[in-house]
C-alpha cells in the first residue's frame, strides 16, 4: 500500500497562496492522489483528486510531479475558513477494495 | 439530498454497555466505511463494505461488528464498550467507478465517550 508523508503543520497569511506538499514515493501507476480536509472535527470534506495530470477546481489546484512521487495542493487565496487539517491520500486497491488510508495530515493555520 | 447521515451525534456509555451507531446514505453508493478518529490523529478504518451483503475488516476491527443492512445502511455495533473505544466515529460512502463522482462523502461524526 502506498503511504503518504506530509508536514505536521504549516502557516499561511490570509490572502496568500497556501502550498501543501505530500510525498507518496511508493505510489503505483493506477493509484490516484486524493486531498481531503477536516475543519474543526467535522467530517472530512473532499477537495480534489488526480492521477498524473494537474487538476483544478473551484476549491484548489493539484500539481503532481512527472514521476508521481509527490504532489502539492494549492489554495490560491487562503482565507481564515481554510484553517483545517489537510489529508493527502493515495487510493489503495487490492485486499481492502476501494479503501482510503488517512494519515495524521497537515494542520494549516491561516493567519490574519 | 442529505448525503451521509449518522446517528446519534453524541453518546456516553458505561463500560460493558452495548450500542449501535447508525449510518445511512442516499447517493446510491456501493461502498461504505466506518472510521474512528482519536484526538490529534488521522482516521483509522474499522470496517468497510464494498457492496450490499459484504463486509471486511479494516485496520482496527477488534471490539466492533458491522451490518450492511441494505445498500443505504451500514451500522457499527459495540458489544461491550471499553474506555479505549472513546473516540469520534465517522461513516463514509463512496461513488463507484463509472459514476460521475468517485470521492468519498463523510457524515458529521458520532462523539462517543465510554466511562
Amino acid at each position: 500500500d502506498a503511504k503518504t508523508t506530509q508536514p505536521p503543520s504549516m502557516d499561511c497569511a490570509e490572502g496568500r497562496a497556501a502550498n501543501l506538499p505530500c510525498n507518496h514515493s511508493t505510489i503505483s501507476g493506477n493509484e490516484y492522489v486524493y486531498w481531503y480536509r477536516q475543519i474543526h472535527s467535522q467530517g472530512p470534506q473532499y477537495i480534489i483528486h488526480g492521477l498524473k495530470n494537474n487538476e483544478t477546481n473551484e476549491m484548489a489546484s493539484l500539481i503532481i510531479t512527472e514521476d508521481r512521487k509527490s504532489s502539492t495542493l494549492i489554495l490560491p487565496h487562503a482565507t481564515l475558513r481554510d484553517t483545517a487539517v489537510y489529508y493527502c491520500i493515495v487510493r489503495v486497491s487490492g485486499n481492502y477494495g476501494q479503501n482510503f488510508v488517512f494519515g495524521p495530515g497537515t494542520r494549516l493555520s491561516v493567519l490574519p | 439530498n442529505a448525503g451521509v447521515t449518522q446517528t446519534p451525534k453524541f453518546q456516553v456509555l458505561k463500560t460493558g454497555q452495548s450500542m449501535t451507531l447508525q449510518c445511512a446514505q442516499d447517493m446510491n453508493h456501493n461502498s461504505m466505511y466506518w472510521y474512528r478518529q482519536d484526538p490529534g490523529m488521522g482516521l483509522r478504518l474499522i470496517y468497510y463494505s464494498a457492496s450490499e451483503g459484504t463486509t471486511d475488516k479494516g485496520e482496527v476491527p477488534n471490539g466492533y461488528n458491522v451490518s450492511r443492512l441494505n445498500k443505504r445502511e451500514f451500522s457499527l455495533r459495540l458489544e461491550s464498550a471499553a474506555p479505549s473505544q472513546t473516540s469520534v466515529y465517522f461513516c463514509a460512502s463512496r461513488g463507484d467507478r463509472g459514476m460521475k463522482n468517485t470521492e468519498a462523502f463523510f457524515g458529521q461524526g458520532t462523539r462517543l465517550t465510554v466511562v
Side-chain angles (χ1 to χ4, degrees):
Chain A
D1 296 351
K3 296 290 192 290
T4 63
T5 304
Q6 300 176 249
S9 64
M10 293 181 63
D11 292 339
C12 177
E14 187 179 16
R16 306 297 289 268
N19 297 289
L20 291 88
C22 179
N23 288 321
H24 31 78
S25 58
T26 60
I27 191 170
S28 299
N30 61 349
E31 291 179 317
Y32 287 74
V33 179
Y34 284 77
W35 282 84
Y36 284 77
R37 72 180 182 182
Q38 189 174 24
I39 298 173
H40 193 54
S41 297
Q42 297 177 14
Q45 176 191 24
Y46 167 81
I47 301 173
I48 199 168
H49 74 282
L51 182 62
K52 53 183 177 181
N53 297 322
N54 297 338
E55 302 286 345
T56 295
N57 63 20
E58 65 277 5
M59 290 181 67
S61 295
L62 173 61
I63 309 298
I64 302 175
T65 58
E66 191 170 345
D67 63 7
R68 302 207 328 121
K69 292 185 177 181
S70 65
S71 60
T72 300
L73 178 74
I74 301 172
L75 307 178
H77 304 287
T79 70
L80 298 179
R81 288 175 294 180
D82 292 323
T83 292
V85 177
Y86 287 78
Y87 296 100
C88 169
I89 300 155
V90 174
R91 192 180 77 179
V92 177
S93 63
N95 290 335
Y96 276 46
Q98 301 294 310
N99 184 15
F100 282 90
V101 178
F102 284 78
T106 295
R107 182 172 297 276
L108 175 69
S109 298
V110 180
L111 307 175
Chain B
N1 187 344
V4 179
T5 303
Q6 291 183 235
T7 56
K9 289 185 171 56
F10 301 92
Q11 183 72 49
V12 179
L13 290 178
K14 294 182 179 179
T15 298
Q17 286 186 316
S18 63
M19 78 161 295
T20 299
L21 282 63
Q22 306 288 351
C23 176
Q25 52 93 8
D26 60 4
M27 295 171 284
N28 202 35
H29 290 165
N30 277 319
S31 303
M32 297 186 72
Y33 308 83
W34 275 106
Y35 292 87
R36 62 176 287 173
Q37 186 175 33
D38 300 319
M41 297 183 67
L43 281 73
R44 292 186 292 170
L45 182 66
I46 304 171
Y47 271 93
Y48 73 101
S49 170
S51 62
E52 182 180 355
T54 68
T55 61
D56 288 281
K57 295 179 180 180
E59 181 186 357
V60 288
N62 292 343
Y64 305 95
N65 286 300
V66 290
S67 295
R68 184 72 183 269
L69 304 171
N70 47 55
K71 192 170 186 178
R72 288 187 65 249
E73 299 172 291
F74 188 37
S75 62
L76 178 72
R77 182 162 179 82
L78 287 70
E79 290 291 350
S80 179
S84 61
Q85 294 177 304
T86 293
S87 190
V88 181
Y89 291 84
F90 290 102
C91 176
S93 72
R94 184 158 176 256
D96 306 310
R97 188 176 298 176
M99 297 182 74
K100 182 179 179 181
N101 293 318
T102 59
E103 64 265 29
F105 293 85
F106 285 79
Q108 289 304 300
T110 295
R111 284 155 180 77
L112 176 67
T113 302
V114 183
V115 297

